């Protein structure tokens, strides 16, 4: 009898790795070289800022999850005009929505995973320079995301972890106002995107 009770108690503590899962991550948002343009130019760089990711999916097997994910990242362009050295842009933003598949292995209470996503992303900055104030500048289009992650179950349903999202932007369309991306600069300063974050999740 004692053995049976102990077995049942142990089963209650086993991580729940099937069903609806929701996780949220927050951390540091980076620009990566490549994509529509470069993160660095002669007159400035696109510096890191904060960002986050929300993923909702269903886990039919312990090694498989399919769902949707939304990511948002801020960036700090330090670009200035050539003559006066005045800032060109305020905070820039990267955002994207992806259909995702996550797979991996579990070791005790630890999940080691790799997530793949296909979707749409957009990168936009607004001018703060007096000559162009109110205009927006950026790109949008198809994107691919790859995410290695690790999660540790604290209880049967709640887990904490780390994730590193790397988004490859294959943008071909402008995301500008009033519709021009050629003045005063000829190419977006954005590149690919990365977000390194702490993740909190729950299995429902």
């Amino acid at each position: 009898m004692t053995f049976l009770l102990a077995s049942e108690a142990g089963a209650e503590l086993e991580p729940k790795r099937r069903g609806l899962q929701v996780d949220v991550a927050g951390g540091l948002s980076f620009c990566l070289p490549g994509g529509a343009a470069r993160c660095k130019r002669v007159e400035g760089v696109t510096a890191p800022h904060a960002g986050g990711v929300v993923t909702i999916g269903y886990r039919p097997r312990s090694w498989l999850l399919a769902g949707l994910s939304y990511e948002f990242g801020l960036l700090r362009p330090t670009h200035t005009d050539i003559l006066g050295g005045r800032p060109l842009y305020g905070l820039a933003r990267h955002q994207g929505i992806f259909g995702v598949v996550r797979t991996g292995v579990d070791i005790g209470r630890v999940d080691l995973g790799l997530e793949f996503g296909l979707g749409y992303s957009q990168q936009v900055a607004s001018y703060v320079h007096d000559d162009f104030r109110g205009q927006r500048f950026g790109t949008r289009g198809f994107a691919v995301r790859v995410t290695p992650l690790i999660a540790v179950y604290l209880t049967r349903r709640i887990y904490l972890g780390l994730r590193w999202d790397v988004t490859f932007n294959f943008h071909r369309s402008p995301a500008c106002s009033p519709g021009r991306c050629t003045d005063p600069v000829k190419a977006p300063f954005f590149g690919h995107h990365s977000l390194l974050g702490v993740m909190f999740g729950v299995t429902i």
Side-chain angles (χ1 to χ4, degrees):
M1 176 64 76
T2 302
F3 175 78
L4 289 175
L5 290 175
S7 298
E8 290 179 4
E12 287 298 318
L13 296 176
E14 284 295 313
K16 187 177 189 298
R17 290 189 166 98
R18 294 190 182 187
L20 184 66
Q21 281 195 336
V22 180
D23 51 57
V24 179
L28 203 56
S29 168
F30 297 89
C31 178
L32 296 177
R38 296 170 295 173
C39 307
K40 184 176 182 180
R41 292 168 63 97
V42 174
E43 71 276 16
V45 298
T46 304
H49 205 281
V53 181
V54 179
T55 304
I56 301 175
Y58 184 74
R59 200 167 175 177
R61 298 287 186 271
S62 63
W63 52 270
L64 179 65
L65 176 143
L68 292 173
S69 183
Y70 171 77
E71 69 177 24
F72 180 86
L74 295 175
L75 299 164
R76 292 186 296 112
T78 65
H79 303 72
T80 59
D81 65 0
I82 296 174
L83 297 178
R86 293 175 297 175
L88 282 174
Y89 307 102
L91 283 179
R93 73 174 185 272
H94 164 93
Q95 60 181 340
I97 186 166
F98 300 88
V100 298
V101 173
R102 184 186 300 173
T103 187
V105 297
D106 55 272
I107 305 171
R109 308 190 71 81
V110 178
D111 282 3
L112 300 175
L114 188 62
E115 187 176 288
F116 299 93
L118 298 177
Y120 167 92
S121 68
Q122 180 186 64
Q123 294 180 322
V124 175
S126 297
Y127 288 113
V128 295
H129 193 288
D130 290 340
D131 294 344
F132 312 100
R133 190 179 297 274
Q135 296 186 33
R136 295 189 309 157
F137 175 79
T139 58
R140 62 190 174 193
F142 176 69
V144 176
R145 196 178 75 189
V146 180
T147 308
L149 57 89
I150 181 171
V152 179
Y153 276 84
L154 303 181
T155 70
R156 186 167 184 260
R157 296 175 182 268
I158 296 174
Y159 54 92
L160 288 178
L162 294 172
R163 60 182 291 148
W164 180 27
D165 295 273
V166 179
T167 301
F168 299 96
N169 296 305
F170 300 96
H171 294 174
R172 294 187 178 275
S173 300
C176 308
S177 171
R180 299 194 307 268
C181 283
T182 57
D183 187 16
V185 289
K186 294 184 178 180
F189 52 80
F190 296 110
H192 301 307
H193 183 260
S194 178
L195 193 145
L196 181 62
V198 177
M199 178 175 63
F200 170 83
V202 60
T203 307
I204 300 173

mmCIF file of all heavy atoms in Angstrom, residues 45-88:
data_model
loop_
_atom_site.group_PDB
_atom_site.id
_atom_site.type_symbol
_atom_site.label_atom_id
_atom_site.label_comp_id
_atom_site.label_asym_id
_atom_site.label_seq_id
_atom_site.Cartn_x
_atom_site.Cartn_y
_atom_site.Cartn_z
ATOM 1 N N VAL A 45 24.675 53.207 -35.643
ATOM 2 C CA VAL A 45 24.401 51.775 -35.512
ATOM 3 C C VAL A 45 22.965 51.594 -35.041
ATOM 4 O O VAL A 45 22.305 52.531 -34.595
ATOM 5 C CB VAL A 45 25.360 51.105 -34.497
ATOM 6 C CG1 VAL A 45 26.789 51.224 -34.953
ATOM 7 C CG2 VAL A 45 25.185 51.700 -33.114
ATOM 8 N N THR A 46 22.481 50.362 -35.150
ATOM 9 C CA THR A 46 21.177 50.009 -34.596
ATOM 10 C C THR A 46 21.431 49.225 -33.313
ATOM 11 O O THR A 46 21.769 48.040 -33.353
ATOM 12 C CB THR A 46 20.366 49.179 -35.598
ATOM 13 O OG1 THR A 46 20.265 49.908 -36.825
ATOM 14 C CG2 THR A 46 18.969 48.910 -35.067
ATOM 15 N N ALA A 47 21.302 49.898 -32.189
ATOM 16 C CA ALA A 47 21.677 49.323 -30.901
ATOM 17 C C ALA A 47 20.549 48.475 -30.308
ATOM 18 O O ALA A 47 19.373 48.637 -30.657
ATOM 19 C CB ALA A 47 22.047 50.448 -29.933
ATOM 20 N N PRO A 48 20.868 47.556 -29.371
ATOM 21 C CA PRO A 48 19.848 46.694 -28.751
ATOM 22 C C PRO A 48 18.866 47.464 -27.882
ATOM 23 O O PRO A 48 19.126 48.578 -27.424
ATOM 24 C CB PRO A 48 20.680 45.726 -27.902
ATOM 25 C CG PRO A 48 22.061 45.801 -28.444
ATOM 26 C CD PRO A 48 22.223 47.203 -28.947
ATOM 27 N N HIS A 49 17.719 46.820 -27.632
ATOM 28 C CA HIS A 49 16.719 47.333 -26.701
ATOM 29 C C HIS A 49 15.942 46.128 -26.177
ATOM 30 O O HIS A 49 16.447 45.008 -26.210
ATOM 31 C CB HIS A 49 15.810 48.355 -27.395
ATOM 32 C CG HIS A 49 15.189 49.340 -26.461
ATOM 33 N ND1 HIS A 49 14.093 49.040 -25.680
ATOM 34 C CD2 HIS A 49 15.513 50.625 -26.175
ATOM 35 C CE1 HIS A 49 13.766 50.099 -24.956
ATOM 36 N NE2 HIS A 49 14.609 51.082 -25.225
ATOM 37 N N ALA A 50 14.730 46.335 -25.715
ATOM 38 C CA ALA A 50 13.938 45.258 -25.108
ATOM 39 C C ALA A 50 12.968 44.642 -26.116
ATOM 40 O O ALA A 50 12.583 45.272 -27.104
ATOM 41 C CB ALA A 50 13.168 45.796 -23.905
ATOM 42 N N GLY A 51 12.555 43.408 -25.843
ATOM 43 C CA GLY A 51 11.583 42.738 -26.699
ATOM 44 C C GLY A 51 10.938 41.563 -25.992
ATOM 45 O O GLY A 51 11.270 41.244 -24.839
ATOM 46 N N GLY A 52 10.004 40.915 -26.689
ATOM 47 C CA GLY A 52 9.307 39.786 -26.089
ATOM 48 C C GLY A 52 8.678 38.887 -27.134
ATOM 49 O O GLY A 52 8.537 39.260 -28.305
ATOM 50 N N VAL A 53 8.289 37.680 -26.698
ATOM 51 C CA VAL A 53 7.670 36.675 -27.557
ATOM 52 C C VAL A 53 6.527 36.013 -26.794
ATOM 53 O O VAL A 53 6.662 35.701 -25.604
ATOM 54 C CB VAL A 53 8.680 35.578 -27.976
ATOM 55 C CG1 VAL A 53 8.017 34.560 -28.891
ATOM 56 C CG2 VAL A 53 9.887 36.183 -28.657
ATOM 57 N N VAL A 54 5.400 35.811 -27.480
ATOM 58 C CA VAL A 54 4.270 35.056 -26.929
ATOM 59 C C VAL A 54 3.975 33.895 -27.867
ATOM 60 O O VAL A 54 3.821 34.099 -29.077
ATOM 61 C CB VAL A 54 3.015 35.930 -26.776
ATOM 62 C CG1 VAL A 54 1.846 35.096 -26.231
ATOM 63 C CG2 VAL A 54 3.290 37.123 -25.875
ATOM 64 N N THR A 55 3.906 32.688 -27.333
ATOM 65 C CA THR A 55 3.629 31.503 -28.143
ATOM 66 C C THR A 55 2.470 30.727 -27.533
ATOM 67 O O THR A 55 2.451 30.471 -26.328
ATOM 68 C CB THR A 55 4.864 30.585 -28.229
ATOM 69 O OG1 THR A 55 5.973 31.330 -28.743
ATOM 70 C CG2 THR A 55 4.602 29.393 -29.139
ATOM 71 N N ILE A 56 1.516 30.360 -28.381
ATOM 72 C CA ILE A 56 0.382 29.527 -27.987
ATOM 73 C C ILE A 56 0.355 28.311 -28.898
ATOM 74 O O ILE A 56 0.351 28.461 -30.131
ATOM 75 C CB ILE A 56 -0.955 30.284 -28.089
ATOM 76 C CG1 ILE A 56 -0.931 31.525 -27.193
ATOM 77 C CG2 ILE A 56 -2.125 29.375 -27.706
ATOM 78 C CD1 ILE A 56 -2.174 32.396 -27.342
ATOM 79 N N GLY A 57 0.371 27.129 -28.318
ATOM 80 C CA GLY A 57 0.397 25.940 -29.156
ATOM 81 C C GLY A 57 -0.200 24.731 -28.466
ATOM 82 O O GLY A 57 -0.473 24.747 -27.257
ATOM 83 N N TYR A 58 -0.379 23.693 -29.249
ATOM 84 C CA TYR A 58 -0.890 22.421 -28.714
ATOM 85 C C TYR A 58 0.204 21.372 -28.825
ATOM 86 O O TYR A 58 0.881 21.249 -29.849
ATOM 87 C CB TYR A 58 -2.122 21.964 -29.482
ATOM 88 C CG TYR A 58 -2.735 20.711 -28.912
ATOM 89 C CD1 TYR A 58 -3.465 20.756 -27.722
ATOM 90 C CD2 TYR A 58 -2.553 19.484 -29.540
ATOM 91 C CE1 TYR A 58 -4.016 19.600 -27.179
ATOM 92 C CE2 TYR A 58 -3.102 18.331 -29.004
ATOM 93 C CZ TYR A 58 -3.828 18.394 -27.817
ATOM 94 O OH TYR A 58 -4.358 17.254 -27.279
ATOM 95 N N ARG A 59 0.358 20.607 -27.765
ATOM 96 C CA ARG A 59 1.409 19.594 -27.684
ATOM 97 C C ARG A 59 0.761 18.210 -27.673
ATOM 98 O O ARG A 59 0.409 17.679 -26.619
ATOM 99 C CB ARG A 59 2.229 19.836 -26.422
ATOM 100 C CG ARG A 59 3.603 19.201 -26.406
ATOM 101 C CD ARG A 59 4.420 19.769 -25.250
ATOM 102 N NE ARG A 59 5.695 19.110 -25.110
ATOM 103 C CZ ARG A 59 6.626 19.433 -24.235
ATOM 104 N NH1 ARG A 59 6.398 20.435 -23.391
ATOM 105 N NH2 ARG A 59 7.769 18.780 -24.179
ATOM 106 N N PRO A 60 0.597 17.595 -28.852
ATOM 107 C CA PRO A 60 -0.040 16.276 -28.889
ATOM 108 C C PRO A 60 0.868 15.157 -28.402
ATOM 109 O O PRO A 60 0.399 14.106 -27.965
ATOM 110 C CB PRO A 60 -0.370 16.091 -30.375
ATOM 111 C CG PRO A 60 0.641 16.923 -31.087
ATOM 112 C CD PRO A 60 0.925 18.086 -30.190
ATOM 113 N N ARG A 61 2.176 15.371 -28.495
ATOM 114 C CA ARG A 61 3.173 14.431 -28.010
ATOM 115 C C ARG A 61 4.182 15.202 -27.171
ATOM 116 O O ARG A 61 4.327 16.412 -27.296
ATOM 117 C CB ARG A 61 3.899 13.741 -29.182
ATOM 118 C CG ARG A 61 2.990 12.914 -30.067
ATOM 119 C CD ARG A 61 2.562 11.633 -29.353
ATOM 120 N NE ARG A 61 1.806 10.763 -30.233
ATOM 121 C CZ ARG A 61 0.494 10.801 -30.384
ATOM 122 N NH1 ARG A 61 -0.217 11.700 -29.718
ATOM 123 N NH2 ARG A 61 -0.110 9.955 -31.198
ATOM 124 N N SER A 62 4.909 14.479 -26.335
ATOM 125 C CA SER A 62 5.871 15.165 -25.484
ATOM 126 C C SER A 62 6.975 15.836 -26.294
ATOM 127 O O SER A 62 7.591 16.809 -25.854
ATOM 128 C CB SER A 62 6.490 14.178 -24.486
ATOM 129 O OG SER A 62 7.215 13.168 -25.178
ATOM 130 N N TRP A 63 7.218 15.373 -27.514
ATOM 131 C CA TRP A 63 8.314 15.880 -28.333
ATOM 132 C C TRP A 63 7.854 16.818 -29.442
ATOM 133 O O TRP A 63 8.654 17.243 -30.279
ATOM 134 C CB TRP A 63 9.079 14.708 -28.966
ATOM 135 C CG TRP A 63 8.205 13.728 -29.695
ATOM 136 C CD1 TRP A 63 7.616 12.619 -29.172
ATOM 137 C CD2 TRP A 63 7.804 13.796 -31.061
ATOM 138 N NE1 TRP A 63 6.868 11.971 -30.121
ATOM 139 C CE2 TRP A 63 6.966 12.676 -31.290
ATOM 140 C CE3 TRP A 63 8.064 14.665 -32.118
ATOM 141 C CZ2 TRP A 63 6.394 12.414 -32.543
ATOM 142 C CZ3 TRP A 63 7.494 14.411 -33.359
ATOM 143 C CH2 TRP A 63 6.674 13.308 -33.556
ATOM 144 N N LEU A 64 6.565 17.172 -29.464
ATOM 145 C CA LEU A 64 6.045 17.964 -30.578
ATOM 146 C C LEU A 64 5.023 18.992 -30.114
ATOM 147 O O LEU A 64 4.105 18.681 -29.356
ATOM 148 C CB LEU A 64 5.387 17.037 -31.610
ATOM 149 C CG LEU A 64 4.777 17.722 -32.834
ATOM 150 C CD1 LEU A 64 5.858 18.388 -33.681
ATOM 151 C CD2 LEU A 64 3.990 16.709 -33.664
ATOM 152 N N LEU A 65 5.200 20.242 -30.569
ATOM 153 C CA LEU A 65 4.216 21.309 -30.347
ATOM 154 C C LEU A 65 4.031 22.062 -31.653
ATOM 155 O O LEU A 65 4.988 22.315 -32.382
ATOM 156 C CB LEU A 65 4.700 22.270 -29.257
ATOM 157 C CG LEU A 65 3.811 23.495 -28.979
ATOM 158 C CD1 LEU A 65 3.782 23.821 -27.484
ATOM 159 C CD2 LEU A 65 4.283 24.728 -29.767
ATOM 160 N N ALA A 66 2.765 22.411 -31.967
ATOM 161 C CA ALA A 66 2.459 23.226 -33.140
ATOM 162 C C ALA A 66 1.572 24.379 -32.704
ATOM 163 O O ALA A 66 0.663 24.203 -31.878
ATOM 164 C CB ALA A 66 1.760 22.388 -34.211
ATOM 165 N N GLY A 67 1.841 25.583 -33.220
ATOM 166 C CA GLY A 67 1.034 26.720 -32.794
ATOM 167 C C GLY A 67 1.385 28.008 -33.509
ATOM 168 O O GLY A 67 1.931 27.997 -34.621
ATOM 169 N N LEU A 68 1.060 29.114 -32.854
ATOM 170 C CA LEU A 68 1.306 30.453 -33.369
ATOM 171 C C LEU A 68 2.177 31.232 -32.387
ATOM 172 O O LEU A 68 2.077 31.036 -31.175
ATOM 173 C CB LEU A 68 -0.009 31.210 -33.585
ATOM 174 C CG LEU A 68 -0.927 30.715 -34.701
ATOM 175 C CD1 LEU A 68 -2.250 31.479 -34.660
ATOM 176 C CD2 LEU A 68 -0.263 30.883 -36.067
ATOM 177 N N SER A 69 2.993 32.136 -32.921
ATOM 178 C CA SER A 69 3.886 32.914 -32.080
ATOM 179 C C SER A 69 3.958 34.351 -32.596
ATOM 180 O O SER A 69 4.022 34.585 -33.803
ATOM 181 C CB SER A 69 5.286 32.285 -32.081
ATOM 182 O OG SER A 69 6.156 32.978 -31.220
ATOM 183 N N TYR A 70 3.948 35.292 -31.670
ATOM 184 C CA TYR A 70 4.097 36.710 -31.995
ATOM 185 C C TYR A 70 5.318 37.249 -31.270
ATOM 186 O O TYR A 70 5.497 36.995 -30.076
ATOM 187 C CB TYR A 70 2.860 37.502 -31.567
ATOM 188 C CG TYR A 70 3.043 39.008 -31.675
ATOM 189 C CD1 TYR A 70 2.992 39.644 -32.909
ATOM 190 C CD2 TYR A 70 3.289 39.774 -30.540
ATOM 191 C CE1 TYR A 70 3.165 41.022 -33.014
ATOM 192 C CE2 TYR A 70 3.466 41.155 -30.630
ATOM 193 C CZ TYR A 70 3.404 41.765 -31.879
ATOM 194 O OH TYR A 70 3.590 43.128 -31.974
ATOM 195 N N GLU A 71 6.170 37.984 -31.988
ATOM 196 C CA GLU A 71 7.348 38.569 -31.365
ATOM 197 C C GLU A 71 7.374 40.069 -31.605
ATOM 198 O O GLU A 71 6.888 40.570 -32.625
ATOM 199 C CB GLU A 71 8.636 37.925 -31.879
ATOM 200 C CG GLU A 71 8.974 38.238 -33.332
ATOM 201 C CD GLU A 71 10.304 37.627 -33.742
ATOM 202 O OE1 GLU A 71 10.726 36.635 -33.114
ATOM 203 O OE2 GLU A 71 10.910 38.139 -34.699
ATOM 204 N N PHE A 72 7.940 40.773 -30.635
ATOM 205 C CA PHE A 72 8.030 42.233 -30.703
ATOM 206 C C PHE A 72 9.369 42.653 -30.125
ATOM 207 O O PHE A 72 9.749 42.207 -29.042
ATOM 208 C CB PHE A 72 6.897 42.872 -29.905
ATOM 209 C CG PHE A 72 6.916 44.372 -29.927
ATOM 210 C CD1 PHE A 72 6.310 45.062 -30.964
ATOM 211 C CD2 PHE A 72 7.528 45.087 -28.913
ATOM 212 C CE1 PHE A 72 6.322 46.450 -30.993
ATOM 213 C CE2 PHE A 72 7.543 46.465 -28.929
ATOM 214 C CZ PHE A 72 6.938 47.158 -29.969
ATOM 215 N N GLY A 73 10.089 43.483 -30.865
ATOM 216 C CA GLY A 73 11.375 43.946 -30.378
ATOM 217 C C GLY A 73 11.603 45.407 -30.699
ATOM 218 O O GLY A 73 11.303 45.862 -31.804
ATOM 219 N N LEU A 74 12.108 46.149 -29.733
ATOM 220 C CA LEU A 74 12.495 47.529 -29.957
ATOM 221 C C LEU A 74 13.988 47.601 -30.254
ATOM 222 O O LEU A 74 14.765 46.767 -29.785
ATOM 223 C CB LEU A 74 12.172 48.383 -28.729
ATOM 224 C CG LEU A 74 10.692 48.532 -28.375
ATOM 225 C CD1 LEU A 74 10.534 49.292 -27.069
ATOM 226 C CD2 LEU A 74 9.927 49.226 -29.492
ATOM 227 N N LEU A 75 14.370 48.605 -31.036
ATOM 228 C CA LEU A 75 15.767 48.829 -31.383
ATOM 229 C C LEU A 75 16.062 50.318 -31.270
ATOM 230 O O LEU A 75 15.160 51.150 -31.397
ATOM 231 C CB LEU A 75 16.054 48.343 -32.811
ATOM 232 C CG LEU A 75 15.830 46.848 -33.058
ATOM 233 C CD1 LEU A 75 15.753 46.553 -34.546
ATOM 234 C CD2 LEU A 75 16.942 46.033 -32.421
ATOM 235 N N ARG A 76 17.331 50.662 -31.031
ATOM 236 C CA ARG A 76 17.719 52.065 -30.841
ATOM 237 C C ARG A 76 18.679 52.509 -31.946
ATOM 238 O O ARG A 76 19.884 52.379 -31.819
ATOM 239 C CB ARG A 76 18.388 52.246 -29.470
ATOM 240 C CG ARG A 76 17.465 52.063 -28.293
ATOM 241 C CD ARG A 76 18.148 52.398 -26.977
ATOM 242 N NE ARG A 76 19.259 51.501 -26.702
ATOM 243 C CZ ARG A 76 20.540 51.853 -26.691
ATOM 244 N NH1 ARG A 76 20.890 53.095 -26.965
ATOM 245 N NH2 ARG A 76 21.479 50.975 -26.411
ATOM 246 N N PRO A 77 18.150 53.047 -33.038
ATOM 247 C CA PRO A 77 19.040 53.585 -34.076
ATOM 248 C C PRO A 77 19.749 54.834 -33.558
ATOM 249 O O PRO A 77 19.122 55.732 -32.992
ATOM 250 C CB PRO A 77 18.077 53.946 -35.218
ATOM 251 C CG PRO A 77 16.798 53.251 -34.905
ATOM 252 C CD PRO A 77 16.735 53.148 -33.417
ATOM 253 N N THR A 78 21.058 54.886 -33.750
ATOM 254 C CA THR A 78 21.825 56.062 -33.325
ATOM 255 C C THR A 78 22.257 56.904 -34.522
ATOM 256 O O THR A 78 23.129 57.760 -34.397
ATOM 257 C CB THR A 78 23.073 55.639 -32.532
ATOM 258 O OG1 THR A 78 23.959 54.913 -33.405
ATOM 259 C CG2 THR A 78 22.696 54.764 -31.347
ATOM 260 N N HIS A 79 21.649 56.674 -35.683
ATOM 261 C CA HIS A 79 22.043 57.358 -36.901
ATOM 262 C C HIS A 79 21.783 58.863 -36.795
ATOM 263 O O HIS A 79 20.767 59.289 -36.237
ATOM 264 C CB HIS A 79 21.283 56.793 -38.097
ATOM 265 C CG HIS A 79 21.481 55.325 -38.268
ATOM 266 N ND1 HIS A 79 20.916 54.393 -37.428
ATOM 267 C CD2 HIS A 79 22.183 54.616 -39.182
ATOM 268 C CE1 HIS A 79 21.249 53.185 -37.808
ATOM 269 N NE2 HIS A 79 22.023 53.286 -38.875
ATOM 270 N N THR A 80 22.699 59.631 -37.348
ATOM 271 C CA THR A 80 22.567 61.089 -37.364
ATOM 272 C C THR A 80 22.718 61.598 -38.793
ATOM 273 O O THR A 80 23.226 60.896 -39.671
ATOM 274 C CB THR A 80 23.638 61.743 -36.483
ATOM 275 O OG1 THR A 80 24.938 61.363 -36.968
ATOM 276 C CG2 THR A 80 23.490 61.307 -35.024
ATOM 277 N N ASP A 81 22.258 62.824 -39.029
ATOM 278 C CA ASP A 81 22.461 63.403 -40.355
ATOM 279 C C ASP A 81 23.940 63.761 -40.535
ATOM 280 O O ASP A 81 24.688 63.937 -39.571
ATOM 281 C CB ASP A 81 21.563 64.604 -40.590
ATOM 282 C CG ASP A 81 21.875 65.778 -39.670
ATOM 283 O OD1 ASP A 81 22.786 65.652 -38.845
ATOM 284 O OD2 ASP A 81 21.207 66.812 -39.790
ATOM 285 N N ILE A 82 24.346 63.809 -41.769
ATOM 286 C CA ILE A 82 25.768 63.962 -42.074
ATOM 287 C C ILE A 82 26.285 65.346 -41.687
ATOM 288 O O ILE A 82 27.397 65.497 -41.184
ATOM 289 C CB ILE A 82 26.015 63.698 -43.569
ATOM 290 C CG1 ILE A 82 25.676 62.248 -43.903
ATOM 291 C CG2 ILE A 82 27.476 63.982 -43.948
ATOM 292 C CD1 ILE A 82 25.740 61.922 -45.375
ATOM 293 N N LEU A 83 25.458 66.367 -41.857
ATOM 294 C CA LEU A 83 25.933 67.737 -41.662
ATOM 295 C C LEU A 83 25.846 68.197 -40.211
ATOM 296 O O LEU A 83 26.818 68.682 -39.645
ATOM 297 C CB LEU A 83 25.142 68.694 -42.563
ATOM 298 C CG LEU A 83 25.300 68.463 -44.067
ATOM 299 C CD1 LEU A 83 24.436 69.446 -44.842
ATOM 300 C CD2 LEU A 83 26.762 68.586 -44.490
ATOM 301 N N GLY A 84 24.678 68.022 -39.604
ATOM 302 C CA GLY A 84 24.479 68.593 -38.279
ATOM 303 C C GLY A 84 24.700 67.643 -37.126
ATOM 304 O O GLY A 84 24.747 68.062 -35.972
ATOM 305 N N GLY A 85 24.818 66.342 -37.408
ATOM 306 C CA GLY A 85 24.962 65.368 -36.342
ATOM 307 C C GLY A 85 23.714 65.201 -35.494
ATOM 308 O O GLY A 85 23.783 64.724 -34.363
ATOM 309 N N ARG A 86 22.553 65.569 -36.042
ATOM 310 C CA ARG A 86 21.304 65.450 -35.295
ATOM 311 C C ARG A 86 20.697 64.062 -35.482
ATOM 312 O O ARG A 86 20.799 63.489 -36.572
ATOM 313 C CB ARG A 86 20.308 66.517 -35.754
ATOM 314 C CG ARG A 86 20.713 67.944 -35.428
ATOM 315 C CD ARG A 86 19.733 68.949 -36.021
ATOM 316 N NE ARG A 86 19.714 68.868 -37.485
ATOM 317 C CZ ARG A 86 18.873 69.575 -38.256
ATOM 318 N NH1 ARG A 86 17.982 70.370 -37.709
ATOM 319 N NH2 ARG A 86 18.929 69.462 -39.570
ATOM 320 N N PRO A 87 20.047 63.502 -34.442
ATOM 321 C CA PRO A 87 19.440 62.173 -34.575
ATOM 322 C C PRO A 87 18.409 62.140 -35.692
ATOM 323 O O PRO A 87 17.619 63.072 -35.857
ATOM 324 C CB PRO A 87 18.773 61.953 -33.209
ATOM 325 C CG PRO A 87 19.504 62.864 -32.279
ATOM 326 C CD PRO A 87 19.885 64.065 -33.082
ATOM 327 N N LEU A 88 18.409 61.036 -36.443
ATOM 328 C CA LEU A 88 17.425 60.859 -37.513
ATOM 329 C C LEU A 88 16.163 60.165 -37.018
ATOM 330 O O LEU A 88 15.059 60.517 -37.422
ATOM 331 C CB LEU A 88 18.033 60.037 -38.650
ATOM 332 C CG LEU A 88 18.980 60.754 -39.613
ATOM 333 C CD1 LEU A 88 19.591 59.752 -40.586
ATOM 334 C CD2 LEU A 88 18.236 61.842 -40.377
#
